[in-house]
Amino acid sequence: MRNSFFTIILISTCILLMSCERKKLKPLSAGVVLSFDDAYVDEWFEADKVLKKYSWKATFCVCRIDSIGDPQIKKLHQLQNNGHEIAGHGYHHYNAVNFVKKYGTKEYIKQEINPMISAMKKHSFQVSSFAYPYGERSDSLDSLLTSKFKIIRGRAFCEDIPEKEGCYFRNSKFMYAFDVDNSHIHFSIPYLVKLLDNAKKNNKILILCCHKPVHEVTKNYQVKIETLEFICKYMKQKNLKFYTLNDLSKQE
């Protein structure tokens, strides 16, 4: 009787472990992470009004949070309530690589990372994802930040061939985004379509980034609302799913 009891416990434990493992390893379906950098909160909020009809989700990577006003903080909370992620983008928006070369890693954490985390907590944001300002990163910086964030995002180098791009999720906490600002030198709708089609064909998750949504581009770091709407429509057509950066941390 006793042996039978322990046999049942052993079998039940094995089934539970196998079930958990299957759940952990189950791949996400093809989709897109659309992330926004800096502190264009008013413009992000207006873009959400236009794009919410597509049931979209985005990750808003915020810098200089202590320099934006209370109305913008309220809008960030509303965006979060709408299902979007609020992530970190530095306290001062320093170029991490350049700063560390000049002042060292301890000073970088002291001036750029710890104040950002504290300020975000003060405003009731629990930050689990971080995007490097200017997209510049290094292996040593990644290692330095790995205990502070679940997801760390840089910017991808452009290879001109979707299959070789670094802007797809690879089951790692370190990832790279393709810039879809209309002013970006590598941006074009035809190439964006190739990236999206490659995600669909190969069941990948494409990581995109941009900055300030506008109706007409007048300077750098701007993305047309029209481009964002194109992405949403194309994703719906191809049955691609929206993810946040934090969503991917559950697969890493």
Side-chain angles (χ1 to χ4, degrees):
M1 183 72 175
R2 185 177 179 183
N3 288 339
S4 298
F5 174 76
F6 282 115
T7 299
I8 293 171
I9 293 296
L10 180 60
I11 293 173
S12 299
T13 302
C14 290
I15 291 173
L16 178 62
L17 289 173
M18 290 173 65
S19 175
C20 291
E21 189 66 20
R22 283 196 298 269
K23 184 177 180 181
K24 180 181 178 181
L25 296 177
K26 183 180 179 181
L28 297 173
S29 59
V32 174
V33 172
L34 186 52
S35 55
F36 294 78
D37 293 353
D38 294 348
Y40 301 109
V41 180
D42 291 333
E43 289 81 6
W44 298 341
F45 194 77
E46 292 305 311
D48 186 54
K49 292 180 181 178
V50 175
L51 302 175
K52 63 183 179 181
K53 61 189 174 188
Y54 299 103
S55 299
W56 81 314
K57 285 202 299 184
T59 297
F60 298 102
C61 307
V62 185
C63 64
R64 305 186 181 101
I65 192 164
D66 277 340
S67 298
I68 64 179
D70 288 338
Q72 285 69 40
I73 296 295
K74 290 179 181 178
K75 287 180 178 180
L76 286 175
H77 277 289
Q78 184 61 57
L79 288 169
Q80 184 173 257
N81 292 339
N82 289 350
H84 304 293
E85 177 187 7
I86 307 302
H89 193 48
Y91 190 68
H92 298 283
H93 197 264
Y94 291 144
N95 182 307
V97 173
N98 292 344
F99 187 94
V100 167
K101 282 181 181 178
K102 191 171 182 179
Y103 301 106
T105 55
K106 288 185 179 179
E107 200 63 26
Y108 177 72
I109 295 295
K110 179 181 177 182
Q111 291 194 34
E112 184 75 340
I113 301 301
N114 288 344
M116 179 196 72
I117 293 173
S118 296
M120 294 294 252
K121 284 183 178 178
K122 179 182 70 176
H123 293 294
S124 301
F125 297 112
Q126 299 299 319
V127 174
S128 63
S129 306
F130 175 75
Y132 286 108
Y134 309 103
E136 293 199 34
R137 38 73 58 199
S138 68
D139 291 341
S140 59
L141 277 165
D142 285 350
S143 178
L144 183 69
L145 299 178
T146 191
S147 64
K148 294 183 178 291
F149 304 104
K150 294 180 180 178
I151 293 292
I152 300 170
R153 200 217 77 203
R155 287 242 298 271
F157 293 101
C158 299
E159 298 286 351
D160 297 324
I161 301 173
E163 289 78 9
K164 291 185 177 181
E165 287 284 11
C167 52
Y168 294 98
F169 179 54
R170 290 179 171 83
N171 295 303
S172 167
K173 73 186 302 175
F174 308 111
M175 57 194 65
Y176 309 92
F178 181 83
D179 195 320
V180 293
D181 284 328
N182 290 79
S183 55
H184 195 272
I185 188 172
H186 297 289
F187 173 79
S188 74
I189 290 292
Y191 190 61
L192 174 59
V193 168
K194 287 183 180 180
L195 292 174
L196 291 164
D197 285 346
N198 185 56
K200 178 62 177 180
K201 178 182 177 182
N202 296 291
N203 199 44
K204 293 182 177 183
I205 297 174
L206 174 64
I207 317 296
L208 302 176
C209 69
C210 52
H211 293 79
K212 182 180 181 179
V214 296
H215 289 286
E216 293 296 332
V217 173
T218 58
K219 57 180 70 173
N220 289 333
Y221 299 108
Q222 294 183 344
V223 58
K224 281 187 176 182
I225 295 287
E226 178 184 334
T227 298
L228 298 174
E229 193 155 17
F230 171 82
I231 292 171
C232 292
K233 287 179 178 178
Y234 199 81
M235 287 177 63
K236 185 174 182 180
Q237 177 186 338
K238 296 292 183 177
N239 196 29
L240 290 164
K241 185 176 178 181
F242 277 109
Y243 296 100
T244 64
L245 288 176
N246 185 58
D247 288 334
L248 304 189
S249 71
K250 300 162 189 173
Q251 291 287 308
E252 185 269 318

